[in-house]
Amino acid sequence: MKMDFMGVHHIMTDRITLNYEVSAEDFTRAGEASSDVKKKLKQMGVEPSTITKVAIAMYEGEINMVIHAQGGQINVVISPDEVLMKLADRGPGINDIEKAMEAGFSTAPDNIRALGFGAGMGLPNMKKYSDEMQIETEIGKGTTVTMKVFLS
Amino acid sequence: MKIKDLIDANLFTVLNQGKDVEQEITKPFCCDLLSICMSKTPKGAAWVTVMGNINTLAVLSLTDASCIILAENAVFDEPALEKAKSEGITVFRTELPVFESALAVYNLRND
Ligand SMILES: Nc1ncnc2c1ncn2[C@@H]1O[C@H](COP(=O)(O)OP(=O)(O)O)[C@@H](O)[C@H]1O
Ligand SMILES: [Mg+2]
């Protein structure tokens, strides 16, 4: 364990729960939930490299809720050992998770690509930068992505 | 090199002067695909892009880049400009292509 992290253990004795509503197709607010979590982690003195991991993983998940699903809810629990992110949407579900996880695979339409999205790197980034990731999906119902980033 | 040095160098048009012009510019970084920018933009980078929408600003704040340089006279849309103003983010624009824009920053930094 790194020294600069020891302090956080003392400050963070409780869990902090944060809830965000993500609205569909609202690009003006996309990334706000991730920015807010980043800000909170920074205030808590969490190591910058850990904050980067959370920011990347959560931003990609948040964007996917906006561009591929009809929005949804994000629930974040920060405890002394980990950041737990649960992103639940009411979208179309993912037909082939293995395919969706492939780097470069994207079903994003042209108007979304024109904004800089649709590199097909979102899910691979989420997998890479989180320490644990789980996807539950049901066609026509929605998708829930759960990710953990360990704080030690 | 600080943001204010890049402003004073008059290489680019200043679309918005941010609140922290004393911030250090570490290096130029060029990218337009936001997923790649998100994971690769170095902290403090002068980010050269042709993407001028609100998402550019979200990625800037999540990656701690120092400023945005819109190359190729790319459009910076109205919601993005408003957000840059309210969040105090420095945005430049230039008719130079992406590589030449980054090179200009690089050369100024190494002067
Ligand atoms: N929450 C989601 N709901 C439905 N489909 C999704 C969701 N997230 C990802 N997908 C599907 O997986 C593909 C790959 O996702 P991702 O790697 O993030 O790339 P991109 O978002 O650039 O398309 C998407 O194009 C989409 O088809
Ligand atoms: Mg994505």
Side-chain angles (χ1 to χ4, degrees):
Chain A
M1 184 179 287
K2 289 216 176 89
M3 273 311 287
D4 57 352
F5 183 69
M6 304 285 277
V8 179
H9 261 288
H10 293 294
I11 303 161
M12 276 172 45
T13 45
D14 291 322
R15 325 162 133 236
I16 295 167
T17 303
L18 305 161
N19 289 299
Y20 304 93
E21 187 71 34
V22 178
S23 38
E25 303 275 340
D26 186 358
F27 289 106
T28 60
R29 299 195 54 203
E32 276 189 5
S34 312
S35 295
D36 192 61
V37 169
K38 185 191 170 196
K39 212 183 296 163
K40 296 228 157 62
L41 293 172
K42 208 168 166 183
Q43 285 165 0
M44 289 172 193
V46 173
E47 237 201 315
S49 62
T50 307
I51 299 179
T52 299
K53 287 170 68 179
V54 173
I56 295 171
M58 186 168 158
Y59 176 75
E60 294 286 6
E62 186 179 352
I63 289 300
N64 280 354
M65 292 173 88
V66 177
I67 67 179
H68 302 300
Q70 277 84 54
Q73 276 101 28
I74 302 179
N75 172 260
V76 180
V77 181
I78 306 169
S79 52
D81 301 329
E82 65 184 31
V83 179
L84 173 69
M85 295 160 269
K86 196 170 180 180
L87 298 89
D89 69 54
R90 305 173 283 268
I94 303 173
N95 193 24
D96 183 343
I97 293 182
E98 217 172 296
K99 186 101 202 151
M101 290 297 304
E102 276 175 22
F105 176 81
S106 174
T107 59
D110 285 347
N111 63 322
I112 297 292
R113 286 173 198 258
L115 295 171
F117 299 114
M121 293 301 297
L123 287 170
N125 271 349
M126 288 155 76
K127 177 96 192 153
K128 181 174 169 194
Y129 289 95
S130 63
D131 293 310
E132 271 177 28
M133 176 167 135
Q134 193 191 335
I135 302 175
E136 290 158 87
T137 188
E138 199 177 331
I139 299 301
K141 286 265 168 63
T143 302
T144 299
V145 181
T146 309
M147 293 182 287
K148 267 186 196 174
V149 171
F150 299 130
L151 288 182
S152 48
Chain B
M1 177 171 72
K2 295 177 172 172
I3 290 179
K4 73 165 194 269
D5 300 323
L6 190 52
I7 293 172
D8 293 344
N10 261 326
L11 295 168
F12 312 128
T13 308
V14 180
L15 288 190
N16 186 54
Q17 179 166 330
K19 58 172 186 267
D20 185 13
V21 294
E22 295 292 328
Q23 198 184 340
E24 274 301 316
I25 294 176
T26 51
K27 54 160 80 164
F29 175 76
C30 312
C31 187
D32 299 312
L33 286 173
L34 297 181
S35 281
I36 294 173
C37 303
M38 196 53 218
S39 60
K40 294 286 167 65
T41 308
K43 191 175 188 320
W47 174 20
V48 184
T49 180
V50 294
M51 288 294 170
N53 62 67
I54 199 110
N55 302 293
T56 315
L57 297 169
V59 171
L60 175 128
S61 81
L62 283 163
T63 57
D64 294 319
S66 56
C67 60
I68 295 167
I69 301 165
L70 285 163
E72 299 279 4
N73 261 338
V75 175
F76 201 61
D77 68 25
E78 198 50 46
L81 189 59
E82 255 161 52
K83 184 144 182 168
K85 283 184 178 149
S86 70
E87 306 227 321
I89 295 166
T90 302
V91 183
F92 298 96
R93 181 155 62 197
T94 173
E95 59 187 19
L96 291 175
V98 172
F99 174 75
E100 277 83 354
S101 308
L103 184 64
V105 175
Y106 183 86
N107 286 339
L108 184 67
R109 197 184 65 143
N110 291 349
D111 264 355

